Amino acid sequence: MSKKQNKKFITPEILRGAVKGAFVKLNPRYMLKNPVMFVVELGCFITLLLSIIPGLFGDADAASLRTYNIIVCVILFVTVLFANFAEAVAEGRGKAQAASLKKTQKDTEAHLLDEDGNETIVSSSELKKGDVVMVVAGEVIPGDGEVIEGIASVDESAITGESAPVVRESGGDFCSVTGGTTVVSDWLKIRITSDPGNSFLDRMIALVEGASRKKTPNEIALSTLLISLTIIFLIVIVTLYPIGRYSGVTLPVSTLIALAVCLIPTTIGALLSAIGIAGMDRVTRFNVIAMSGKAVEACGDVDTMILDKTGTITYGNRMAADFIPVSGVSVEELTKYAALSSLSDATPEGKSVVALAKERGVVVDESSLKGAEFIEFTAKTRMSGVDLPDGTKVRKGASDAIEQYVKEQGGKVPADLHTHVEEVSSLGGTPLVVCENARILGVIYLKDIVKDGLVERFARLRAIGIKTIMCTGDNPLTAATIAQEAGVDGFIAECRPEDKIKVIKEEQAQGKIVAMTGDGTNDAPALAQANVGLAMNSGTTAAKEAANMVDLDSDPTKILEVVEIGKQLLITRGSLTTFSIANDIAKYFAIIPAMFKLAVPQLNVLNIMGLTTSYSAILSALIFNAIIIPCLIPLAMKGVKYRPMSSGKMLARNMMIYGVGGIITPFLGIKIIDLIIAPILGALGF
């Protein structure tokens, strides 16, 4: 998990804002958005009226119930406050993050270019989509855009937190820049791709503040279930009054309200919104912009993950792994000439050859290279090397290119060369042949290195039933080798953009939810087709517009973390729902026997907690119902700890912890509260 998650759960600033927000949210128009808690607030209002006018509904001995009504009213008020506080804490954490993001939004000067190239200085807030600006070293990029000319290093630490500058250049998949970042070298000509107020930062700020948050499909479905349960319990409560009268028991209205509040799913009703907000917050703390909560939720339902090989599964830079000499040549001699041919090679492959040679104890004396002529790699020759002052010519390159070069020099191809080349290819590597004048020395084994820790992470995904498919342009043999080494479930070799769309559609046709990453324009159709599309911020505008999530860190493996966050969101919501409903069982055993034990002594057998009086039983259950909400706020914010396992095992585990635990905890809690408040109520005459 990202270091960005290691932050304080609540700061004094968030606490102060949450306390204020808890009272502000008491507005009935706002409470109507949460029907379950609105019922509690309505009950609080009715008991308030009963506290002022005890006989409002014709309760017997109404005057003696005034104190009892006041106590019930206070507890209900506190219950609503705690529910609002939970949501306000979640929003406060988002607003705190938004505040830090807003600091990066500066109304800077922008050098606007017209069609003739004339420069005009304007405010960055005046820029609109399609405008072209010039940004030089030391200046802040005034808005989101695409580089259309130039190459420069860009400091994106204000957005990503990563201090190392990144290279942005025109063309290719690394042309996108974000407003608020700083050019640290050279210059860029940028075409603005967003209108004022619609940049990535603007959208990110709106999402973490909660301003743009809409209920997700699962959240709507659960809300509908909670409303249905609330209506059912309200009907049950209404019928209890005539049943009580028939049994010779007159039930005070405040007691019926207390029973209703205890039986309806108030715990999950109070925390549901906070869980959703916290889920979005966790995603943004990973520097991922989710276009909607639906996208985050969809991550939790992912069945299949499409992953590019290069940059995602592998580092993308082939690294020298071994030196394989042909017959008659020593490893030391091959290593020496391989290093000589790579000294001027600035590519990661060339540097890795020199590094591996040093590891093997072969260090080239660079002073002997004075006057040497280095030959750069070209697409035409497909080789590089060096011409030494003594006339020796050293070359390394593709097998067929070196063979032709040696033959032109009058040399011969060793009989075992093709065997070594095929051996390297069969291992999924790239063979580079080295020669000295007209003599072939051997093969450099270049290996595409699988990223550290991915094998374990793919195993975690497999444990929860997610299939991983690797897409690569490599030949089937190389693709199969990398796929086996990485531990993915399947692969597509010689993959084209249309092949990605095809496999996504095939998986979706089977009813599966598909996720994928991409950064190029050619990835845009597949990102749009996938249920979860994660685009890289460094990628093209087309890719980012097609995706429903954007990674500001441009880390293709981020999709693995995002899926786990989505899983955690669903698990948290399900676990707390289970706990909330299980709570009602214990509260049922606390209140129902207390209400009817005088009229129906047989019901006393259900009073398994041995609660002191009917009043202490009802108030103990009501108090527990209130205080359990703030106790669960940290769990709702941080989420239930995610563990990779099958859905069956996960269900069994959560039912044991949050189902059985949800029954046992109220029994213990209510009994403890009863022991505390019974003497107090006795002193008050109850």
Side-chain angles (χ1 to χ4, degrees):
M1 291 293 184
S2 169
K3 293 179 181 178
K4 297 180 187 295
Q5 278 216 327
N6 298 327
K7 296 190 177 182
K8 289 181 70 175
F9 165 65
I10 188 168
T11 63
E13 292 78 14
I14 294 175
L15 180 60
R16 286 193 294 270
V19 171
K20 180 181 177 181
F23 284 92
V24 172
K25 293 176 183 293
L26 290 173
N27 188 330
R29 288 182 295 180
Y30 184 87
M31 294 298 299
L32 273 170
K33 297 178 182 178
N34 188 343
V36 177
M37 297 314 301
F38 178 74
V39 170
V40 181
E41 186 177 51
L42 187 61
C44 177
F45 178 72
I46 294 171
T47 53
L48 177 62
L49 291 178
L50 289 170
S51 301
I52 301 170
I53 314 171
L56 182 64
F57 297 105
D59 288 334
D61 300 323
S64 64
L65 293 173
R66 185 187 299 271
T67 303
Y68 174 69
N69 293 338
I70 292 173
I71 296 172
V72 173
C73 177
V74 170
I75 297 172
L76 294 182
F77 180 73
V78 171
T79 303
V80 178
L81 275 184
F82 282 162
N84 290 346
F85 179 77
E87 185 174 346
V89 167
E91 291 177 351
R93 281 163 60 89
K95 288 176 180 178
Q97 189 180 1
S100 65
L101 290 171
K102 287 177 179 178
K103 293 178 181 178
T104 65
Q105 288 189 310
K106 302 174 182 176
D107 192 7
T108 60
E109 288 186 345
H111 299 270
L112 180 64
L113 302 179
D114 60 20
E115 294 180 355
D116 299 323
N118 299 317
E119 188 175 292
T120 306
I121 297 178
V122 300
S123 171
S124 58
S125 59
E126 298 177 21
L127 295 175
K128 57 185 183 295
K129 189 175 181 179
D131 285 344
V132 177
V133 297
M134 176 68 74
V135 187
V136 300
E139 293 181 348
V140 176
I141 296 174
D144 296 345
E146 282 187 333
V147 179
I148 58 175
E149 191 176 333
I151 179 171
S153 295
V154 179
D155 179 5
E156 296 185 341
S157 58
I159 307 297
T160 66
E162 179 57 55
S163 58
V166 294
V167 176
R168 294 288 178 260
E169 59 185 325
S170 60
D173 296 338
F174 298 94
C175 61
S176 180
V177 291
T178 305
T181 57
T182 304
V183 175
V184 295
S185 72
D186 302 292
W187 58 271
L188 296 173
K189 188 183 287 187
I190 301 166
R191 180 184 290 112
I192 301 298
T193 56
S194 63
D195 289 316
N198 197 37
S199 68
F200 279 116
L201 266 179
D202 291 319
R203 280 184 279 176
M204 191 173 185
I205 289 168
L207 285 166
V208 298
E209 283 185 324
S212 301
R213 198 185 93 85
K214 296 180 180 178
K215 285 187 176 182
T216 63
N218 282 351
E219 203 171 343
I220 292 171
L222 183 55
S223 296
T224 304
L225 173 63
L226 298 182
I227 292 169
S228 301
L229 288 174
T230 300
I231 293 171
I232 290 169
F233 280 120
L234 288 176
I235 294 172
V236 170
I237 299 305
V238 170
T239 61
L240 279 179
Y241 187 80
I243 292 173
R245 292 292 297 269
Y246 178 79
S247 304
V249 179
T250 302
L251 299 173
V253 172
S254 53
T255 295
L256 292 173
I257 291 172
L259 178 61
V261 169
C262 286
L263 294 186
I264 65 175
T266 51
T267 306
I268 186 62
L271 298 172
L272 185 59
S273 181
I275 293 169
I277 296 171
M280 291 291 295
D281 180 56
R282 283 195 291 276
V283 170
T284 54
R285 287 178 187 274
F286 275 89
N287 270 358
V288 173
I289 300 175
M291 302 308 173
S292 66
K294 183 180 178 181
V296 180
E297 195 171 78
C299 290
D301 292 323
V302 165
D303 302 297
T304 304
M305 194 179 295
I306 311 295
L307 301 159
D308 280 324
K309 185 204 76 172
T310 305
T312 305
I313 293 175
T314 65
Y315 287 104
N317 298 324
R318 297 170 299 174
M319 311 295 285
D322 200 6
F323 299 109
I324 308 171
V326 297
S327 58
V329 179
S330 67
V331 175
E332 290 77 14
E333 187 179 13
L334 169 62
T335 305
K336 173 187 173 183
Y337 283 106
L340 277 170
S341 68
S342 304
L343 284 175
S344 68
D345 189 347
T347 65
E349 292 92 336
K351 292 178 179 178
S352 73
V353 171
V354 177
L356 183 61
K358 288 182 180 178
E359 287 180 16
R360 301 288 175 86
V362 178
V363 181
V364 179
D365 183 8
E366 297 188 20
S367 63
S368 64
L369 298 175
K370 189 175 181 180
E373 182 184 355
F374 293 99
I375 310 299
E376 294 184 0
F377 177 88
T378 66
K380 184 178 180 180
T381 63
R382 295 190 299 147
M383 67 175 73
S384 62
V386 60
D387 292 344
L388 300 175
D390 63 1
T392 302
K393 296 182 178 181
V394 185
R395 297 288 186 273
K396 76 172 191 298
S399 173
D400 57 342
I402 295 295
E403 286 181 28
Q404 185 179 350
Y405 174 80
V406 168
K407 289 176 180 178
E408 290 174 355
Q409 303 295 316
K412 295 183 179 179
V413 178
D416 56 344
L417 176 65
H418 289 167
T419 302
H420 295 319
V421 169
E422 290 173 4
E423 180 185 353
V424 170
S425 298
S426 67
L427 294 172
T430 301
L432 288 182
V433 179
V434 181
C435 72
E436 179 251 339
N437 292 326
R439 184 168 68 106
I440 290 178
L441 303 175
V443 177
I444 302 173
Y445 173 18
L446 292 182
K447 184 179 180 181
D448 205 354
I449 307 297
V450 174
K451 290 184 176 180
D452 296 335
L454 278 190
V455 175
E456 292 77 11
R457 294 171 77 179
F458 286 143
R460 283 167 62 92
L461 293 174
R462 194 175 298 109
I464 57 174
I466 296 178
K467 182 170 72 174
T468 51
I469 300 175
M470 180 187 76
C471 295
T472 176
D474 291 336
N475 62 69
L477 186 61
T478 301
T481 304
I482 296 293
Q484 184 177 8
E485 187 176 346
V488 295
D489 299 311
F491 66 90
I492 304 172
E494 299 173 345
C495 182
R496 300 165 297 174
E498 53 267 32
D499 294 328
K500 293 181 182 179
I501 298 175
K502 182 181 178 182
V503 72
I504 291 171
K505 288 183 176 179
E506 287 175 352
E507 292 292 316
Q508 290 173 334
Q510 300 174 33
K512 296 180 179 179
I513 304 297
V514 182
M516 76 159 286
T517 61
D519 58 7
T521 301
N522 60 351
D523 291 323
L527 287 169
Q529 180 65 42
N531 303 92
V532 178
L534 179 66
M536 304 296 101
N537 190 44
S538 61
T540 62
T541 300
K544 290 189 285 188
E545 289 180 349
N548 48 24
M549 305 181 93
V550 177
D551 177 25
L552 295 176
D553 294 329
S554 301
D555 178 6
T557 62
K558 190 70 73 69
I559 187 70
L560 303 177
E561 274 96 353
V562 172
V563 166
E564 290 192 357
I565 291 172
K567 290 283 184 187
Q568 188 183 38
L569 172 62
L570 296 181
I571 293 167
T572 301
R573 190 183 292 150
S575 298
L576 291 183
T577 300
T578 302
F579 185 87
S580 177
I581 294 174
N583 267 219
D584 294 338
I585 298 174
K587 288 179 283 189
Y588 172 88
F589 279 98
I591 296 180
I592 295 296
M595 291 171 62
F596 291 98
K597 67 180 182 179
L598 293 177
V600 188
Q602 294 85 348
L603 283 176
N604 199 47
V605 72
L606 297 177
N607 186 20
I608 57 179
M609 286 181 270
L611 302 177
T612 310
T613 67
S614 60
Y615 290 110
S616 71
I618 293 166
L619 294 178
S620 296
L622 204 60
I623 292 170
F624 177 85
N625 191 65
I627 63 176
I628 197 64
I629 295 172
C631 291
L632 292 175
I633 290 177
L635 185 62
M637 297 294 104
K638 295 179 181 179
V640 175
K641 189 174 181 180
Y642 168 79
R643 290 179 174 84
M645 60 181 71
S646 66
S647 56
K649 288 183 179 178
M650 189 179 298
L651 178 62
R653 179 180 179 275
N654 288 345
M655 286 299 295
M656 180 59 65
I657 296 174
Y658 298 99
V660 177
I663 294 174
I664 295 173
T665 303
F667 273 95
L668 296 174
I670 291 171
K671 180 61 179 178
I672 292 170
I673 295 170
D674 178 75
L675 293 173
I676 295 171
I677 69 169
I680 301 172
L681 292 176
L684 294 173
F686 293 101

